[in-house]
Amino acid sequence: MFYICSMLSYTEENYLKALLKLSFQNEDKPEAGTNEMAAYLGVKPATATDMLKKLKEKELVTYKKYGKILLTETGKQNGIAILRKHRLWETFLYEKLDFSWDEVHEVAEQLEHIQSAKLVDKLEEFLNFPEFDPHGDPIPKANGEIPTIDKVLLSELKENELCKVVAVKDTSTLFLQYLEKLRITIGTPIKVLERIDFDGSLSIQIAGEEARNVSMKFAESLFVKR
Amino acid sequence: MFYICSMLSYTEENYLKALLKLSFQNEDKPEAGTNEMAAYLGVKPATATDMLKKLKEKELVTYKKYGKILLTETGKQNGIAILRKHRLWETFLYEKLDFSWDEVHEVAEQLEHIQSAKLVDKLEEFLNFPEFDPHGDPIPKANGEIPTIDKVLLSELKENELCKVVAVKDTSTLFLQYLEKLRITIGTPIKVLERIDFDGSLSIQIAGEEARNVSMKFAESLFVKR
DNA sequence: TATAAAAGTTAGACTAGTCTAACAAATATA
DNA sequence: TATATTTGTTAGACTAGTCTAACTTTTATA
């Protein structure tokens, strides 16, 4: 149970976090490839290969030449610790400092690397132990547990189904700003009025307002709870 | 008035801050020497020389070989911006997250490098535009102005003078913890009962409690307002 | 004022993280 | 299954920031 190692560089932390995120994406098999990882981090594959050797040396990942990359338990816990910090800071920025949905990420990318166990725990307490961040993503607990919530994509609902927004799948600025324009936020109730099979678009009712059409791309970017 | 440049590295920021701090210390002449600066930053003089060339290139300092180092106006404003962040974060940690006097500095050293103009200004607003940090040091305003307060060392007071603690000169953990033990904090009233000429020590009354002796070293580490 | 001491600089080397270009292995497909 | 494509690795180079060791300039002092 002595997983979190504080002697990681800024860069190493970013690699671990990327690996963790990729493992969430590829749910069935939590591995990643070198190119995939490099693309995610915005570096060249050669660079990723080098770092991988270092992470392997430190027993944070298992991998062999030309093989897939997998986080060790230590690597995973370290990644989770960073994700925890990231999401707590996002929550702080959104709730206490009036940052908007799409502004929090960039600053949290920096704040997540601050080293101080006390700071993280005090921050969590100050925020009243939030379970989800402003995007609806779960905030890992101090022990590494990650809260869950059952959610489905808006696109999976049938006609006449009612739901509440619980998270965004796409966190791009464009999408988040569109959501703000539609006055959709975490918790907003939505009713599916009609499904247009032709292009997968939906006619929905947002918070009891008048009907509005949204694209399939939109419906596949929003998580809701029935 | 377009002073703050955001393209400074973590290290460059530290050099500018060090130079600014040294210029406060050497009040009469705000210059510094290479060795002095290196010592302050915990690097070797050779390293400081290299960085100086870089800072000169960027017009953040003026200096010539074997000469003294002086911040340019741009350099000074950048230094002040970092100091502002440092002291705002210290205030946040102390007031909102219950950090103790002597714990805030280390974490603020990291937080001061977060790049986001919005963050700093929102933080200042969230803290209600504090003028002084937990150690009583002035927090620079967004425009670079630094609040002042007239303060003297406790050691300068005469017998029977009354005062209030406004800042600490020494910010070492040992001193801060001693202050906590004595239940002295910013704002605590103190009366000088007796000055012992033999060793410069004082007999003082803290917040109306019974008399207590403090050393000359102590009296020279605490700033008060008459 | 000559010289010793202090202060500052240069040259060359190292590490972490990055790149490009060339190559090797694995996989997909004709 | 042979080959083309994709994926991943190696080698060599670069930058920022650091070091040590040797050297130079300034300053303090005998």
Side-chain angles (χ1 to χ4, degrees):
Chain A
M1 271 300 285
F2 209 68
Y3 289 126
I4 311 308
C5 99
S6 60
M7 284 299 91
L8 296 176
S9 73
Y10 193 99
T11 312
E12 288 169 331
E13 289 195 346
N14 278 140
Y15 277 82
L16 289 183
K17 192 184 55 162
L19 251 9
L20 188 70
K21 290 273 197 82
L22 290 174
S23 84
F24 291 155
Q25 263 170 45
N26 314 346
E27 253 177 64
D28 33 340
K29 37 175 74 176
E31 312 159 327
T34 306
N35 286 1
E36 193 185 4
M37 193 171 99
Y40 190 92
L41 286 161
V43 298
K44 301 291 167 186
T47 309
T49 301
D50 284 349
M51 182 54 77
L52 245 21
K53 287 183 193 158
K54 204 155 100 180
L55 294 177
K56 187 186 175 182
E57 195 54 46
K58 293 194 175 185
E59 298 189 46
L60 295 162
V61 304
T62 56
Y63 112 111
K64 52 176 163 320
K65 251 201 198 180
Y66 297 104
K68 290 290 171 189
I69 310 151
L70 192 61
L71 285 168
T72 61
E73 187 58 25
T74 307
K76 186 177 165 191
Q77 289 302 325
N78 276 279
I80 288 176
I82 299 158
L83 197 61
R84 169 173 156 81
K85 287 194 272 182
H86 183 96
R87 293 183 174 165
L88 282 171
W89 280 116
E90 283 197 343
T91 307
F92 170 74
L93 295 172
Y94 185 77
E95 293 197 349
K96 303 294 181 182
L97 301 195
D98 286 319
F99 272 60
S100 66
W101 237 6
D102 58 308
E103 290 172 323
V104 297
H105 183 74
E106 192 191 329
V107 183
E109 284 286 294
Q110 297 178 61
L111 287 163
E112 74 192 5
H113 298 288
I114 304 292
Q115 313 263 216
S116 163
K118 177 160 186 174
L119 176 56
V120 191
D121 295 341
K122 283 289 186 177
L123 185 63
E124 182 183 36
E125 187 185 337
F126 181 64
L127 297 171
N128 235 284
F129 299 92
E131 295 218 294
F132 300 92
D133 76 10
H135 304 114
D137 291 320
I139 300 174
K141 296 288 163 198
N143 64 9
E145 251 172 62
I146 304 181
T148 54
I149 188 169
D150 43 62
K151 60 189 180 188
V152 294
L153 289 172
L154 176 60
S155 58
E156 294 175 50
L157 294 203
K158 298 194 181 60
E159 285 184 1
N160 291 312
E161 273 201 277
L162 271 165
C163 65
K164 276 195 174 174
V165 174
V166 296
V168 291
K169 187 175 180 194
D170 177 350
T171 57
S172 71
T173 301
L174 283 179
F175 183 56
L176 295 176
Q177 286 182 348
Y178 183 33
L179 287 178
E180 262 178 25
K181 192 174 150 203
L182 297 180
R183 296 221 239 101
I184 291 176
T185 181
I186 302 295
T188 302
I190 290 182
K191 184 177 183 183
V192 175
L193 302 174
E194 202 185 345
R195 298 184 56 110
I196 317 294
D197 289 336
F198 164 63
D199 59 4
S201 69
L202 300 180
S203 172
I204 61 173
Q205 189 180 37
I206 301 164
E209 306 276 312
E210 70 265 33
R212 173 180 268 283
N213 251 76
V214 293
S215 70
M216 178 162 80
K217 183 173 177 192
F218 180 95
E220 287 177 342
S221 301
L222 205 58
F223 283 119
V224 299
K225 183 174 153 69
R226 286 190 171 99
Chain B
M1 268 302 281
F2 209 67
Y3 289 126
I4 310 310
C5 104
S6 60
M7 284 297 90
L8 297 175
S9 72
Y10 192 100
T11 312
E12 287 169 332
E13 290 196 345
N14 278 139
Y15 277 82
L16 289 182
K17 193 184 55 162
L19 249 10
L20 187 71
K21 290 273 197 81
L22 289 174
S23 84
F24 292 156
Q25 261 170 47
N26 313 346
E27 253 177 66
D28 34 338
K29 35 175 80 179
E31 313 160 325
T34 305
N35 286 1
E36 194 183 4
M37 193 171 98
Y40 190 91
L41 286 161
V43 298
K44 300 292 166 183
T47 308
T49 300
D50 285 347
M51 181 55 75
L52 245 20
K53 287 183 193 158
K54 204 156 98 182
L55 294 178
K56 187 186 175 183
E57 194 55 43
K58 294 194 176 185
E59 299 189 42
L60 295 162
V61 304
T62 55
Y63 111 111
K64 50 178 167 317
K65 250 198 195 182
Y66 298 104
K68 289 291 171 189
I69 309 153
L70 192 60
L71 284 169
T72 61
E73 187 59 23
T74 307
K76 187 177 164 191
Q77 289 302 325
N78 275 280
I80 288 176
I82 299 158
L83 198 61
R84 167 172 157 80
K85 288 194 274 182
H86 183 97
R87 292 183 177 167
L88 281 171
W89 280 116
E90 282 196 344
T91 307
F92 170 74
L93 295 173
Y94 186 75
E95 293 196 349
K96 305 291 182 182
L97 301 194
D98 288 318
F99 273 60
S100 67
W101 238 4
D102 58 309
E103 290 172 324
V104 298
H105 183 75
E106 190 190 331
V107 183
E109 284 285 295
Q110 298 178 60
L111 286 164
E112 73 192 4
H113 298 289
I114 304 293
Q115 312 265 217
S116 164
K118 178 160 184 172
L119 177 56
V120 190
D121 296 342
K122 284 287 186 178
L123 185 64
E124 182 183 35
E125 187 186 338
F126 182 64
L127 296 171
N128 236 285
F129 300 92
E131 296 218 294
F132 299 91
D133 77 9
H135 305 113
D137 290 320
I139 300 175
K141 297 289 164 198
N143 64 9
E145 253 172 59
I146 303 181
T148 53
I149 189 170
D150 43 62
K151 59 189 181 186
V152 293
L153 288 173
L154 175 61
S155 58
E156 295 174 49
L157 295 202
K158 298 194 179 59
E159 284 184 2
N160 292 313
E161 273 200 280
L162 269 166
C163 65
K164 275 193 175 177
V165 174
V166 295
V168 291
K169 186 174 181 196
D170 176 350
T171 57
S172 71
T173 301
L174 283 178
F175 183 55
L176 294 177
Q177 286 181 349
Y178 183 34
L179 287 178
E180 262 176 29
K181 192 174 150 202
L182 297 180
R183 294 219 241 103
I184 290 177
T185 181
I186 303 294
T188 302
I190 290 183
K191 183 176 183 183
V192 175
L193 302 174
E194 202 184 348
R195 298 184 55 110
I196 316 294
D197 290 335
F198 165 62
D199 58 5
S201 68
L202 300 179
S203 171
I204 62 173
Q205 189 180 37
I206 301 165
E209 307 274 310
E210 70 264 32
R212 173 180 269 285
N213 252 74
V214 295
S215 69
M216 178 163 78
K217 181 174 177 190
F218 179 95
E220 288 177 342
S221 301
L222 205 58
F223 283 117
V224 299
K225 182 175 152 70
R226 284 189 171 101

